[in-house]
């Protein structure tokens, strides 16, 4: 039951983008087309889950035992950047088709603050490894859900008769605000 609460909370109630405002750059930048939103969502799911596992293990087995917890932020940044670079190199050699599919988005994920935010939130919430993985996957699904919904709305807005001063980013920001308000409706679930 606890895992279900974590999933519902992360996907709907405390959505990483719409409630916690982490990952706004890719949310606005990659949401012009639904196809690219799906690609980014899949990439974030893969990287966020892997990064959370690695950073959790480093925190629990290296930083805390050696009394180096104050190095958490810098070490997590380095771990995430190195992890994404290693993934890029491995995918390029092992699976060129997967590399081509995810390759565009991997460099963007290095600077995605949602990945870093989830890694830190896992430690702050004092989750165990299983809860951390569920939390990371659920947050990545929430990120992808918000991104895909937003991209669908933006595709429709591109066809709509929007006032000249509101075209582009202004209407996208208004739409994101309305989408965040819609997700606030889930607040009573958990």
């Amino acid at each position: 039951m606890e895992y279900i609460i974590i999933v519902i909370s992360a996907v709907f109630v405390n959505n990483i983008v719409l409630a916690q405002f982490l990952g706004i750059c890719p949310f606005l930048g990659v949401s012009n087309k639904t196809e690219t939103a799906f690609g980014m969502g899949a990439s974030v799911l893969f990287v966020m889950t892997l990064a959370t596992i690695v950073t959790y293990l480093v925190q629990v087995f290296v930083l805390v035992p050696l009394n180096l917890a104050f190095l958490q932020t810098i070490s997590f940044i380095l771990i995430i950047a190195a992890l994404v670079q290693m993934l890029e190199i491995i995918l390029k050699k092992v699976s060129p088709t997967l590399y081509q599919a995810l390759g565009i988005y991997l460099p963007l994920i290095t600077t995605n603050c949602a990945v870093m935010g989830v890694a830190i939130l896992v430690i702050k919430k004092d989750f165990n490894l299983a809860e951390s993985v569920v939390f990371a996957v659920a947050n990545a699904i929430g990120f992808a859900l918000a991104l895909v919904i937003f991209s669908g709305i933006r595709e429709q807005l591109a066809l709509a008769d929007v006032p000249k001063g509101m075209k582009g980013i202004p209407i996208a920001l208004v739409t994101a605000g309305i989408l965040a308000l819609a997700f606030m409706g889930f607040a009573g679930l958990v």
Side-chain angles (χ1 to χ4, degrees):
M1 187 66 173
E2 187 175 329
Y3 295 113
I4 294 171
I5 292 171
I6 290 172
V7 170
I8 291 171
S9 175
V11 174
F12 298 111
V13 179
N14 293 320
N15 187 287
I16 196 81
V17 177
L18 300 173
Q20 298 181 30
F21 306 112
L22 294 172
I24 295 292
C25 294
F27 181 70
L28 292 173
V30 187
S31 61
N32 288 330
K33 294 184 180 178
T34 306
E35 182 180 312
T36 56
F38 272 117
M40 184 64 165
S43 300
V44 167
L45 175 66
F46 186 66
V47 171
M48 189 178 286
T49 305
L50 197 57
T52 300
I53 293 169
V54 173
T55 54
Y56 177 86
L57 294 173
V58 167
Q59 176 77 20
V60 171
F61 294 113
V62 177
L63 297 178
V64 171
L66 296 175
N67 287 330
L68 297 174
F70 63 92
L71 293 175
Q72 179 189 53
T73 303
I74 191 72
S75 61
F76 282 16
I77 290 170
L78 294 173
I79 289 167
I80 292 167
L83 188 65
V84 171
Q85 291 303 313
M86 285 191 303
L87 280 172
E88 200 168 0
I89 292 167
I90 291 169
L91 285 177
K92 196 173 191 177
K93 291 191 185 268
V94 174
S95 177
T97 54
L98 185 60
Y99 170 73
Q100 222 167 6
L102 299 179
I104 301 167
Y105 308 110
L106 285 175
L108 291 174
I109 294 171
T110 304
T111 58
N112 188 345
C113 58
V115 176
M116 177 73 166
V118 169
I120 292 174
L121 283 171
V122 160
I123 304 301
K124 282 191 173 194
K125 291 179 182 274
D126 201 29
F127 285 153
N128 61 34
L129 184 58
E131 292 169 335
S132 299
V133 171
V134 169
F135 185 73
V137 169
N139 270 293
I141 290 170
F143 178 85
L145 177 69
L147 191 63
V148 169
I149 290 171
F150 188 59
S151 67
I153 294 170
R154 284 188 74 179
E155 283 181 354
Q156 291 297 316
L157 283 173
L159 302 173
D161 187 25
V162 178
K164 184 179 177 186
M166 290 295 290
K167 286 189 185 234
I169 295 296
I171 194 69
L173 291 173
V174 170
T175 304
I178 293 169
L179 190 58
L181 286 171
F183 269 68
M184 282 180 64
F186 294 113
L189 284 176
V190 182

